[in-house]
PDB file of all heavy atoms in Angstrom:
ATOM      1  N   LEU V 230      -0.878 -20.231   0.751  1.00 93.00           N
ATOM      2  CA  LEU V 230      -1.299 -18.877   1.197  1.00 93.00           C
ATOM      3  C   LEU V 230      -0.482 -17.852   0.384  1.00 93.00           C
ATOM      4  O   LEU V 230       0.749 -17.887   0.454  1.00 93.00           O
ATOM      5  CB  LEU V 230      -1.087 -18.722   2.718  1.00 93.00           C
ATOM      6  CG  LEU V 230      -1.817 -19.677   3.574  1.00 93.00           C
ATOM      7  CD1 LEU V 230      -1.416 -19.530   5.059  1.00 93.00           C
ATOM      8  CD2 LEU V 230      -3.305 -19.475   3.422  1.00 93.00           C
ATOM      9  N   THR V 231      -1.172 -16.944  -0.232  1.00 92.00           N
ATOM     10  CA  THR V 231      -0.456 -15.942  -1.059  1.00 92.00           C
ATOM     11  C   THR V 231      -0.035 -14.706  -0.151  1.00 92.00           C
ATOM     12  O   THR V 231      -0.490 -13.593  -0.411  1.00 92.00           O
ATOM     13  CB  THR V 231      -1.391 -15.430  -2.177  1.00 92.00           C
ATOM     14  OG1 THR V 231      -2.567 -14.925  -1.686  1.00 92.00           O
ATOM     15  CG2 THR V 231      -1.662 -16.575  -3.116  1.00 92.00           C
ATOM     16  N   ILE V 232       0.744 -14.980   0.788  1.00 91.00           N
ATOM     17  CA  ILE V 232       1.193 -13.983   1.808  1.00 91.00           C
ATOM     18  C   ILE V 232       1.938 -12.838   1.146  1.00 91.00           C
ATOM     19  O   ILE V 232       1.564 -11.701   1.330  1.00 91.00           O
ATOM     20  CB  ILE V 232       1.912 -14.572   2.929  1.00 91.00           C
ATOM     21  CG1 ILE V 232       1.009 -15.553   3.695  1.00 91.00           C
ATOM     22  CG2 ILE V 232       2.436 -13.537   3.940  1.00 91.00           C
ATOM     23  CD1 ILE V 232       1.704 -16.287   4.849  1.00 91.00           C
ATOM     24  N   PRO V 233       3.008 -13.074   0.392  1.00 90.00           N
ATOM     25  CA  PRO V 233       3.749 -11.942  -0.214  1.00 90.00           C
ATOM     26  C   PRO V 233       2.903 -11.097  -1.156  1.00 90.00           C
ATOM     27  O   PRO V 233       2.955  -9.850  -1.075  1.00 90.00           O
ATOM     28  CB  PRO V 233       4.888 -12.650  -0.990  1.00 90.00           C
ATOM     29  CG  PRO V 233       5.045 -14.004  -0.306  1.00 90.00           C
ATOM     30  CD  PRO V 233       3.672 -14.410   0.106  1.00 90.00           C
ATOM     31  N   LEU V 234       2.100 -11.748  -1.945  1.00 91.00           N
ATOM     32  CA  LEU V 234       1.236 -11.028  -2.922  1.00 91.00           C
ATOM     33  C   LEU V 234       0.239 -10.196  -2.146  1.00 91.00           C
ATOM     34  O   LEU V 234      -0.027  -9.003  -2.529  1.00 91.00           O
ATOM     35  CB  LEU V 234       0.575 -12.014  -3.829  1.00 91.00           C
ATOM     36  CG  LEU V 234      -0.416 -11.406  -4.834  1.00 91.00           C
ATOM     37  CD1 LEU V 234       0.342 -10.515  -5.815  1.00 91.00           C
ATOM     38  CD2 LEU V 234      -1.143 -12.511  -5.606  1.00 91.00           C
ATOM     39  N   THR V 235      -0.421 -10.748  -1.157  1.00 92.00           N
ATOM     40  CA  THR V 235      -1.425 -10.049  -0.410  1.00 92.00           C
ATOM     41  C   THR V 235      -0.842  -8.826   0.332  1.00 92.00           C
ATOM     42  O   THR V 235      -1.405  -7.737   0.338  1.00 92.00           O
ATOM     43  CB  THR V 235      -2.128 -11.001   0.646  1.00 92.00           C
ATOM     44  OG1 THR V 235      -2.678 -12.102  -0.031  1.00 92.00           O
ATOM     45  CG2 THR V 235      -3.268 -10.274   1.341  1.00 92.00           C
ATOM     46  N   LEU V 236       0.342  -9.080   0.969  1.00 91.00           N
ATOM     47  CA  LEU V 236       0.982  -7.936   1.672  1.00 91.00           C
ATOM     48  C   LEU V 236       1.378  -6.827   0.723  1.00 91.00           C
ATOM     49  O   LEU V 236       1.147  -5.666   1.004  1.00 91.00           O
ATOM     50  CB  LEU V 236       2.231  -8.441   2.380  1.00 91.00           C
ATOM     51  CG  LEU V 236       2.030  -9.271   3.713  1.00 91.00           C
ATOM     52  CD1 LEU V 236       3.390  -9.768   4.221  1.00 91.00           C
ATOM     53  CD2 LEU V 236       1.293  -8.429   4.753  1.00 91.00           C
ATOM     54  N   ALA V 237       1.923  -7.197  -0.423  1.00 90.00           N
ATOM     55  CA  ALA V 237       2.384  -6.206  -1.357  1.00 90.00           C
ATOM     56  C   ALA V 237       1.187  -5.381  -1.872  1.00 90.00           C
ATOM     57  O   ALA V 237       1.289  -4.154  -1.967  1.00 90.00           O
ATOM     58  CB  ALA V 237       3.084  -6.897  -2.543  1.00 90.00           C
ATOM     59  N   PHE V 238       0.117  -6.101  -2.256  1.00 88.00           N
ATOM     60  CA  PHE V 238      -1.059  -5.409  -2.721  1.00 88.00           C
ATOM     61  C   PHE V 238      -1.644  -4.481  -1.721  1.00 88.00           C
ATOM     62  O   PHE V 238      -1.968  -3.295  -2.002  1.00 88.00           O
ATOM     63  CB  PHE V 238      -2.090  -6.443  -3.201  1.00 88.00           C
ATOM     64  CG  PHE V 238      -3.269  -5.841  -3.894  1.00 88.00           C
ATOM     65  CD1 PHE V 238      -3.253  -5.595  -5.270  1.00 88.00           C
ATOM     66  CD2 PHE V 238      -4.415  -5.427  -3.161  1.00 88.00           C
ATOM     67  CE1 PHE V 238      -4.334  -5.038  -5.962  1.00 88.00           C
ATOM     68  CE2 PHE V 238      -5.469  -4.838  -3.857  1.00 88.00           C
ATOM     69  CZ  PHE V 238      -5.451  -4.650  -5.194  1.00 88.00           C
ATOM     70  N   ALA V 239      -1.780  -4.984  -0.500  1.00 89.00           N
ATOM     71  CA  ALA V 239      -2.427  -4.117   0.561  1.00 89.00           C
ATOM     72  C   ALA V 239      -1.543  -2.881   0.865  1.00 89.00           C
ATOM     73  O   ALA V 239      -2.095  -1.835   1.091  1.00 89.00           O
ATOM     74  CB  ALA V 239      -2.617  -5.004   1.812  1.00 89.00           C
ATOM     75  N   LEU V 240      -0.213  -3.072   0.901  1.00 88.00           N
ATOM     76  CA  LEU V 240       0.649  -1.999   1.283  1.00 88.00           C
ATOM     77  C   LEU V 240       0.662  -0.963   0.116  1.00 88.00           C
ATOM     78  O   LEU V 240       0.609   0.262   0.433  1.00 88.00           O
ATOM     79  CB  LEU V 240       2.083  -2.530   1.499  1.00 88.00           C
ATOM     80  CG  LEU V 240       2.232  -3.305   2.797  1.00 88.00           C
ATOM     81  CD1 LEU V 240       3.619  -3.887   2.964  1.00 88.00           C
ATOM     82  CD2 LEU V 240       1.944  -2.435   4.036  1.00 88.00           C
ATOM     83  N   VAL V 241       0.752  -1.403  -1.115  1.00 86.00           N
ATOM     84  CA  VAL V 241       0.684  -0.455  -2.220  1.00 86.00           C
ATOM     85  C   VAL V 241      -0.629   0.350  -2.222  1.00 86.00           C
ATOM     86  O   VAL V 241      -0.602   1.568  -2.435  1.00 86.00           O
ATOM     87  CB  VAL V 241       0.881  -1.185  -3.572  1.00 86.00           C
ATOM     88  CG1 VAL V 241       0.578  -0.262  -4.764  1.00 86.00           C
ATOM     89  CG2 VAL V 241       2.298  -1.716  -3.642  1.00 86.00           C
ATOM     90  N   TRP V 242      -1.684  -0.343  -1.932  1.00 84.00           N
ATOM     91  CA  TRP V 242      -2.988   0.286  -1.899  1.00 84.00           C
ATOM     92  C   TRP V 242      -3.032   1.302  -0.746  1.00 84.00           C
ATOM     93  O   TRP V 242      -3.543   2.370  -0.869  1.00 84.00           O
ATOM     94  CB  TRP V 242      -4.067  -0.803  -1.711  1.00 84.00           C
ATOM     95  CG  TRP V 242      -5.399  -0.357  -2.206  1.00 84.00           C
ATOM     96  CD1 TRP V 242      -5.825   0.914  -2.668  1.00 84.00           C
ATOM     97  CD2 TRP V 242      -6.482  -1.225  -2.495  1.00 84.00           C
ATOM     98  NE1 TRP V 242      -7.102   0.887  -3.080  1.00 84.00           N
ATOM     99  CE2 TRP V 242      -7.573  -0.392  -2.999  1.00 84.00           C
ATOM    100  CE3 TRP V 242      -6.780  -2.544  -2.303  1.00 84.00           C
ATOM    101  CZ2 TRP V 242      -8.833  -0.901  -3.369  1.00 84.00           C
ATOM    102  CZ3 TRP V 242      -7.994  -3.111  -2.653  1.00 84.00           C
ATOM    103  CH2 TRP V 242      -9.037  -2.268  -3.166  1.00 84.00           C
ATOM    104  N   LEU V 243      -2.514   0.896   0.409  1.00 86.00           N
ATOM    105  CA  LEU V 243      -2.430   1.778   1.566  1.00 86.00           C
ATOM    106  C   LEU V 243      -1.594   3.048   1.273  1.00 86.00           C
ATOM    107  O   LEU V 243      -2.055   4.171   1.614  1.00 86.00           O
ATOM    108  CB  LEU V 243      -1.879   1.013   2.775  1.00 86.00           C
ATOM    109  CG  LEU V 243      -1.757   1.842   4.065  1.00 86.00           C
ATOM    110  CD1 LEU V 243      -3.105   2.294   4.576  1.00 86.00           C
ATOM    111  CD2 LEU V 243      -1.045   1.007   5.115  1.00 86.00           C
ATOM    112  N   ILE V 244      -0.430   2.808   0.712  1.00 88.00           N
ATOM    113  CA  ILE V 244       0.513   3.941   0.488  1.00 88.00           C
ATOM    114  C   ILE V 244      -0.039   4.934  -0.561  1.00 88.00           C
ATOM    115  O   ILE V 244      -0.032   6.163  -0.392  1.00 88.00           O
ATOM    116  CB  ILE V 244       1.935   3.404   0.030  1.00 88.00           C
ATOM    117  CG1 ILE V 244       2.560   2.601   1.198  1.00 88.00           C
ATOM    118  CG2 ILE V 244       2.764   4.533  -0.469  1.00 88.00           C
ATOM    119  CD1 ILE V 244       3.723   1.848   0.814  1.00 88.00           C
ATOM    120  N   THR V 245      -0.594   4.331  -1.657  1.00 84.00           N
ATOM    121  CA  THR V 245      -1.120   5.270  -2.748  1.00 84.00           C
ATOM    122  C   THR V 245      -2.438   5.956  -2.303  1.00 84.00           C
ATOM    123  O   THR V 245      -2.900   6.819  -2.984  1.00 84.00           O
ATOM    124  CB  THR V 245      -1.332   4.479  -4.023  1.00 84.00           C
ATOM    125  OG1 THR V 245      -2.199   3.349  -3.736  1.00 84.00           O
ATOM    126  CG2 THR V 245       0.002   3.971  -4.628  1.00 84.00           C
ATOM    127  N   GLY V 246      -2.979   5.518  -1.197  1.00 83.00           N
ATOM    128  CA  GLY V 246      -4.212   6.147  -0.748  1.00 83.00           C
ATOM    129  C   GLY V 246      -4.030   7.499  -0.139  1.00 83.00           C
ATOM    130  O   GLY V 246      -4.911   8.280   0.040  1.00 83.00           O
ATOM    131  N   PHE V 247      -2.699   7.824   0.183  1.00 85.00           N
ATOM    132  CA  PHE V 247      -2.386   9.079   0.706  1.00 85.00           C
ATOM    133  C   PHE V 247      -2.004  10.046  -0.394  1.00 85.00           C
ATOM    134  O   PHE V 247      -1.312   9.677  -1.309  1.00 85.00           O
ATOM    135  CB  PHE V 247      -1.268   9.060   1.752  1.00 85.00           C
ATOM    136  CG  PHE V 247      -1.657   8.206   2.969  1.00 85.00           C
ATOM    137  CD1 PHE V 247      -1.079   6.922   3.100  1.00 85.00           C
ATOM    138  CD2 PHE V 247      -2.445   8.698   3.933  1.00 85.00           C
ATOM    139  CE1 PHE V 247      -1.421   6.124   4.183  1.00 85.00           C
ATOM    140  CE2 PHE V 247      -2.759   7.892   5.001  1.00 85.00           C
ATOM    141  CZ  PHE V 247      -2.272   6.620   5.172  1.00 85.00           C
ATOM    142  N   SER V 248      -2.416  11.333  -0.276  1.00 85.00           N
ATOM    143  CA  SER V 248      -2.083  12.243  -1.367  1.00 85.00           C
ATOM    144  C   SER V 248      -0.740  12.977  -1.175  1.00 85.00           C
ATOM    145  O   SER V 248      -0.088  13.260  -2.129  1.00 85.00           O
ATOM    146  CB  SER V 248      -3.224  13.341  -1.427  1.00 85.00           C
ATOM    147  OG  SER V 248      -3.326  13.997  -0.172  1.00 85.00           O
ATOM    148  N   ARG V 249      -0.310  13.153   0.096  1.00 89.00           N
ATOM    149  CA  ARG V 249       0.933  13.852   0.307  1.00 89.00           C
ATOM    150  C   ARG V 249       2.143  12.879   0.190  1.00 89.00           C
ATOM    151  O   ARG V 249       2.123  11.731   0.713  1.00 89.00           O
ATOM    152  CB  ARG V 249       0.888  14.450   1.716  1.00 89.00           C
ATOM    153  CG  ARG V 249      -0.165  15.531   1.914  1.00 89.00           C
ATOM    154  CD  ARG V 249      -0.116  16.140   3.280  1.00 89.00           C
ATOM    155  NE  ARG V 249       1.148  16.752   3.565  1.00 89.00           N
ATOM    156  CZ  ARG V 249       1.495  17.314   4.738  1.00 89.00           C
ATOM    157  NH1 ARG V 249       0.575  17.425   5.682  1.00 89.00           N
ATOM    158  NH2 ARG V 249       2.660  17.878   4.930  1.00 89.00           N
ATOM    159  N   LYS V 250       3.115  13.329  -0.518  1.00 89.00           N
ATOM    160  CA  LYS V 250       4.292  12.463  -0.766  1.00 89.00           C
ATOM    161  C   LYS V 250       5.036  12.138   0.543  1.00 89.00           C
ATOM    162  O   LYS V 250       5.561  11.026   0.687  1.00 89.00           O
ATOM    163  CB  LYS V 250       5.278  13.166  -1.718  1.00 89.00           C
ATOM    164  CG  LYS V 250       4.668  13.286  -3.132  1.00 89.00           C
ATOM    165  CD  LYS V 250       5.720  13.913  -4.092  1.00 89.00           C
ATOM    166  CE  LYS V 250       5.217  14.010  -5.481  1.00 89.00           C
ATOM    167  NZ  LYS V 250       6.185  14.617  -6.422  1.00 89.00           N
ATOM    168  N   THR V 251       5.078  13.073   1.487  1.00 91.00           N
ATOM    169  CA  THR V 251       5.783  12.789   2.716  1.00 91.00           C
ATOM    170  C   THR V 251       5.088  11.729   3.521  1.00 91.00           C
ATOM    171  O   THR V 251       5.760  10.869   4.112  1.00 91.00           O
ATOM    172  CB  THR V 251       5.882  14.080   3.536  1.00 91.00           C
ATOM    173  OG1 THR V 251       4.567  14.625   3.715  1.00 91.00           O
ATOM    174  CG2 THR V 251       6.762  15.122   2.911  1.00 91.00           C
ATOM    175  N   VAL V 252       3.785  11.724   3.498  1.00 91.00           N
ATOM    176  CA  VAL V 252       3.026  10.664   4.184  1.00 91.00           C
ATOM    177  C   VAL V 252       3.247   9.362   3.505  1.00 91.00           C
ATOM    178  O   VAL V 252       3.361   8.340   4.205  1.00 91.00           O
ATOM    179  CB  VAL V 252       1.529  11.009   4.290  1.00 91.00           C
ATOM    180  CG1 VAL V 252       0.734   9.915   4.974  1.00 91.00           C
ATOM    181  CG2 VAL V 252       1.365  12.380   4.981  1.00 91.00           C
ATOM    182  N   ARG V 253       3.249   9.288   2.195  1.00 91.00           N
ATOM    183  CA  ARG V 253       3.479   8.103   1.473  1.00 91.00           C
ATOM    184  C   ARG V 253       4.853   7.526   1.810  1.00 91.00           C
ATOM    185  O   ARG V 253       5.005   6.267   2.048  1.00 91.00           O
ATOM    186  CB  ARG V 253       3.416   8.322  -0.029  1.00 91.00           C
ATOM    187  CG  ARG V 253       2.020   8.617  -0.571  1.00 91.00           C
ATOM    188  CD  ARG V 253       2.030   8.710  -2.103  1.00 91.00           C
ATOM    189  NE  ARG V 253       0.648   8.875  -2.642  1.00 91.00           N
ATOM    190  CZ  ARG V 253       0.378   8.924  -3.953  1.00 91.00           C
ATOM    191  NH1 ARG V 253       1.392   8.796  -4.825  1.00 91.00           N
ATOM    192  NH2 ARG V 253      -0.809   9.010  -4.393  1.00 91.00           N
TER     193      ARG V 253
END
């Protein structure tokens, strides 16, 4: 199970989905 890779990808995608730096 690629747990670390999946978590990292999903979190980066989630974080970069916000435009405001404070929210990121």
Side-chain angles (χ1 to χ4, degrees):
L230 300 173
T231 59
I232 297 177
L234 178 63
T235 304
L236 285 177
F238 187 87
L240 288 175
V241 169
W242 207 347
L243 177 65
I244 293 168
T245 56
F247 298 105
S248 57
R249 297 181 59 181
K250 292 183 178 180
T251 53
V252 177
R253 288 185 177 185

